Amino acid sequence: MVAVERVESLAKSGIISIPKEYIRPKEELESINDVFLEEKKEDGPQVPIIDLQNIESDDEKIRETCIEELKKAALDWGVMHLINHGISVDLMERVKKAGEEFFGLSVEEKEKYANDQATGKIQGYGSKLANNACGQLEWEDYFFHLVYPEDKRDLSLWPKTPSDYIEATSEYAKCLRLLATKVFKALSIGLGLEPDRLEKEVGGLEELLLQMKINYYPKCPQPELALGVEAHTDVSALTFILHNMVPGLQLFYEGKWVTAKCVPDSIVMHIGDTLEILSNGKYKSILHRGLVNKEKVRISWAVFCEPPKDKIVLKPLPEMVSDESPAKFPPRTFAQHIEHKLFGKEQEELVSEKKD
């Protein structure tokens, strides 16, 4: 296994300029600004905040209003801050503390959990290898592992330190799985489908996989030249994100990059490509990226809810297709969709498509 240079080691080495592999192309640099100033902007569009308090209310009117708000955000933005989502703040803090403590270990200690993408061992501690559209690197290290269903986990790959890591993360995964069901139901109703339809289409309780990726973005001496994660859409059905209240997430909305505010105790939720395909483009999978900064380490905890790789063929649901709106996506398994994104399209094309 070839030793990979960790971004954290690079950041701590005292460099004042970043290696050229991390510098973004010229046309991209024009849109990279100071994330702290960007976050303070009050003008222009803002990522919607959706209150889930009444998503299962017994009062039909109140429940419908909540579902309508969620649907509107999914149709328009495809990303939102969820509040009153039913997951305890205490549990979210435990998950964040455990992840922070793991990343607080020495790089040598973390290397014991290193993944090895060359041999297909994707779970574990890693850094981006240059296999993306322009052979470039991103300013982040990460830890990736499957967290649900429990019988599909491999706990031998999970951090042993800190001692609360496994318990806190397992509990959080269970709570997120319940939240995903509530969201799938509301989004199904929003499309005029039976409430359990979307969840069934993505694998149901047995097959839907929850994969956690903890993204660790070290301080960067030249943040105006780099990205923590380049522009992409999520392949998942839904993605749920916690972060350490350091700004960085940007969404490409109506032709401009919008910086998400840090909303206390919220969970950021993305609609992924899988739901965009099933809804025939009604629900949006928004292009997004991560900025870095020189003052503060940013950490985010993303959980991707994904259908099984080969068991399900993803295509627009028949109810979503008509003469007026023909199918926008060809039938593909989840694995084929990922393959298509990796090799079938350059990122620039994606950006120009979203601009149209």
Side-chain angles (χ1 to χ4, degrees), residues 68-258:
E68 193 53 38
E69 292 292 303
L70 177 66
K71 171 190 169 178
K72 213 165 75 194
L75 293 171
D76 184 25
W77 279 82
V79 65
M80 59 208 78
H81 300 282
L82 302 179
I83 58 169
N84 295 317
H85 40 65
I87 298 182
S88 85
V89 173
D90 179 54
L91 178 59
M92 298 195 309
E93 289 306 320
R94 277 174 63 202
V95 168
K96 294 201 277 190
K97 185 167 182 282
E100 282 169 355
E101 284 184 25
F102 172 75
F103 272 97
L105 299 172
S106 66
V107 170
E108 295 69 42
E109 195 56 37
K110 292 192 287 270
E111 287 295 354
K112 294 176 183 170
Y113 298 93
N115 64 9
D116 186 8
Q117 292 177 351
T119 61
K121 181 184 172 234
I122 57 168
Q123 295 192 71
Y125 175 58
S127 308
K128 180 80 174 231
L129 304 176
N131 63 349
N132 51 342
C134 28
Q136 274 187 308
L137 296 173
E138 297 166 317
W139 197 261
E140 73 150 349
D141 300 322
Y142 63 81
F143 193 93
F144 180 79
H145 58 334
L146 184 147
V147 294
Y148 198 89
E150 293 185 346
D151 61 347
K152 291 187 168 74
R153 304 177 307 180
D154 183 350
L155 290 179
S156 72
L157 304 171
W158 291 34
K160 312 282 178 285
T161 311
S163 55
D164 192 38
Y165 186 95
I166 292 177
E167 197 181 321
T169 306
S170 300
E171 185 58 32
Y172 178 61
K174 269 199 288 212
C175 293
L176 266 190
R177 188 62 191 81
L178 293 170
L179 177 58
T181 291
K182 290 179 195 176
V183 171
F184 282 132
K185 270 190 184 155
L187 291 173
S188 294
I189 293 166
L191 292 174
L193 302 165
E194 287 297 313
D196 60 351
R197 181 67 181 282
L198 285 176
E199 184 159 22
K200 268 190 193 148
E201 295 287 346
V202 295
L205 274 177
E206 302 296 309
E207 298 289 348
L208 185 75
L209 304 176
L210 271 58
Q211 317 259 19
M212 179 183 272
K213 185 175 178 230
I214 308 177
N215 300 296
Y216 182 86
Y217 306 104
K219 295 177 199 175
C220 179
Q222 294 178 298
E224 68 288 353
L225 298 182
L227 285 174
V229 62
E230 66 184 15
H232 67 287
T233 60
D234 289 355
V235 292
S236 59
L238 295 171
T239 306
F240 295 99
I241 304 168
L242 297 178
H243 54 78
N244 66 338
M245 294 298 284
V246 175
L249 174 64
Q250 287 196 316
L251 302 307
F252 196 68
Y253 181 75
E254 295 184 341
K256 290 196 177 67
W257 287 106
V258 176

Side-chain angles (χ1 to χ4, degrees), residues 338-351:
I338 293 171
E339 198 81 354
H340 165 74
K341 283 190 82 164
L342 279 178
F343 305 110
K345 269 202 177 156
E346 296 295 325
Q347 168 204 334
E348 289 72 30
E349 277 181 53
L350 243 178
V351 176

